[in-house]
């Protein structure tokens, strides 16, 4: 059951995975170690499905039972999942604290695999906040480990993260190579739950170089798979870019509909990264359309976007939101406010490490 549950998670068959977790929970009666194992695996599934409050509770239950049972490995796994959950909800300090605690336990146990996975989660925490050099620093020992001991399961994750770093730093060719490598590994391993993420990143890279028709193919495929696997955070993020791509190809109304769906889902999930980004891109489409009321709606959306990004310490998105807020504000005739917003964006940008 433990093996089948893991396979179902990779395939994105979360209904079957949940059923096997319940069967395992019944078998775990009177066995604290197995109970803790089932709890942290349940937390991983709930994380993928966007049920963050329940996922946090499951990690706490896993850590508590594991600690009582004296199983430090499972306690560390629970902490690691909790770190991922906090990153998704924009609680980055809490996330880093949880990941740091997990890393220390794995290191003390000599669990090299757990330690490397912890460094990847730490890197993603930095990446989401546009701290690209810090993310690279976290990934460096993982990449060195992969050179010595190839591990396709670990590599599939880190290559996708590296693709995002390279994209944001303007190295589009390397970004596509990394993303395609991750996609190939996921397809070879049967990791359907991550194939959708990789297809989405490929589409985003193609959009950055203006290849919108090709990008649409990747994004549509990615979104279809993600909706099958019920990966809610990823669905929300992919809808955002699919909407932008649709608008750039002339389907403005369809693009706005997808962006509005992304915004609504991000609010429901509490996914501040996606929410700030989706609001900013929604405003961009409105400004390009330019119908009556669009400028004012764009101003309101970008004001909320940079407030959400600021509160969550999402500096990269805050820079974009401030810039677009300035564009909307100047269209409404308030030049001085627009200058102040643009100046703030430039100042923030100058403080960052590696943003192009």
């Amino acid at each position: 059951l433990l093996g089948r549950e893991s396979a179902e998670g990779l395939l994105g068959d979360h209904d079957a995975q949940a059923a096997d977790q319940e069967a395992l929970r019944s078998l775990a009666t009177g066995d604290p170690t197995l109970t803790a194992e089932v709890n942290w695996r349940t937390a991983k599934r709930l994380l993928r499905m966007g049920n963050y409050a329940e996922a946090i509770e499951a990690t706490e239950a896993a850590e508590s039972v594991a600690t009582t049972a004296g199983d430090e490995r499972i306690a560390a796994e629970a902490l690691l999942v909790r770190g991922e959950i906090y990153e998704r909800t924009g609680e980055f300090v809490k996330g880093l604290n949880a990941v740091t605690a997990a890393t220390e336990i794995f290191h003390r146990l000599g669990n090299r695999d757990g330690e490397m996975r912890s460094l990847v989660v730490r890197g993603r925490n930095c990446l989401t906040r546009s701290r690209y050099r810090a993310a690279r620093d976290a990934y460096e020992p993982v990449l060195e480990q992969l050179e010595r001991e190839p591990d396709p399961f670990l590599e599939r994750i880190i290559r996708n993260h590296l693709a995002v770093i390279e994209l944001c730093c303007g190295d589009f060719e390397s970004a596509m190579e990394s993303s395609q490598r991750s996609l190939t590994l996921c397809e070879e391993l049967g990791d359907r739950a991550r194939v959708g993420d990789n297809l989405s990143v490929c589409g985003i890279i193609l959009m950055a170089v203006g290849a919108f028709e090709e990008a649409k193919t990747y994004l549509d495929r990615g979104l279809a798979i993600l909706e099958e696997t019920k990966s809610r955070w990823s669905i929300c993020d992919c809808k955002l870019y699919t909407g932008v791509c649709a608008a750039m190809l002339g389907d403005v109304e369809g693009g706005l509909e997808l962006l509005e769906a992304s915004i609504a889902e991000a609010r429901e999930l509490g996914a501040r990264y996606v929410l700030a980004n989706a609001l900013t891109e929604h405003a961009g489409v409105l400004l390009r359309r330019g119908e009556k009321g669009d400028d004012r709606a764009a101003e309101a959306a970008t004001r909320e976007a940079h407030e959400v990004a600021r509160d969550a310490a999402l500096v990269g998105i805050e820079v974009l939101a401030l810039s677009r807020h300035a564009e909307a504000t100047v269209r409404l005739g308030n030049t001085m406010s627009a200058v102040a917003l643009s100046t703030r964006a430039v100042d923030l940008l100058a403080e960052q490490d590696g943003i192009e």
Side-chain angles (χ1 to χ4, degrees), residues 227-246:
E227 287 180 334
E228 286 178 12
T229 62
K230 303 175 185 177
S231 305
R232 290 186 69 198
W233 191 97
S234 297
I235 291 169
C236 196
D237 193 53
C238 191
K239 277 185 179 178
L240 185 173
Y241 291 104
T242 306
V244 174
C245 190

Side-chain angles (χ1 to χ4, degrees), residues 139-326:
Y139 294 147
E140 196 59 40
V142 185
L143 292 168
E144 291 173 0
Q145 173 75 5
L146 289 172
E147 285 289 325
R148 292 190 298 270
E149 300 176 26
D151 181 344
F153 279 91
L154 188 58
E155 186 183 356
R156 82 199 194 285
I157 301 173
I158 198 168
R159 291 295 173 194
N160 203 40
H161 293 184
L162 287 171
V164 177
I165 292 175
E166 289 154 352
L167 167 65
C168 294
C169 293
D171 188 350
F172 303 121
E173 185 175 354
S174 294
M176 198 62 177
E177 287 175 0
S178 293
S179 188
Q180 290 281 9
R181 171 62 178 164
S182 182
L183 177 59
T184 298
L185 287 170
C186 287
E187 289 176 333
E188 288 176 352
L189 294 166
D191 188 353
R192 190 167 175 77
R194 289 186 186 273
V195 167
D197 289 329
N198 281 276
L199 288 166
S200 179
V201 172
C202 288
I204 294 165
I205 296 165
L206 289 165
M207 284 176 61
V209 297
F212 295 108
E213 289 285 359
E214 193 176 355
K216 183 178 185 301
T217 300
Y218 278 94
L219 290 165
D220 285 347
R221 284 177 58 205
L223 185 57
I225 290 173
L226 291 168
E227 287 180 334
E228 286 178 12
T229 62
K230 303 175 185 177
S231 305
R232 290 186 69 198
W233 191 97
S234 297
I235 291 169
C236 196
D237 193 53
C238 191
K239 277 185 179 178
L240 185 173
Y241 291 104
T242 306
V244 174
C245 190
M248 295 301 293
L249 288 169
D251 183 10
V252 175
E253 299 308 315
L256 286 172
E257 184 176 334
L258 281 165
L259 282 159
E260 286 159 7
S262 178
I263 290 167
E265 289 169 17
R267 288 193 200 283
E268 184 179 339
L269 285 172
R272 292 191 286 178
Y273 175 90
V274 180
L275 176 59
N277 209 3
L279 286 164
T280 302
E281 296 298 345
H282 185 258
V285 174
L286 290 173
L287 290 169
R288 285 194 295 274
R289 185 174 71 171
E291 293 183 1
K292 184 178 180 181
D294 281 351
D295 292 346
R296 193 161 298 282
E299 190 277 333
T302 50
R303 185 185 336 112
E304 181 184 0
H306 78 69
E307 288 172 355
V308 170
R310 181 196 61 214
D311 292 345
L314 296 164
V315 180
I317 297 177
E318 187 181 0
V319 168
L320 296 174
L322 284 164
S323 302
R324 199 149 286 165
H325 192 184

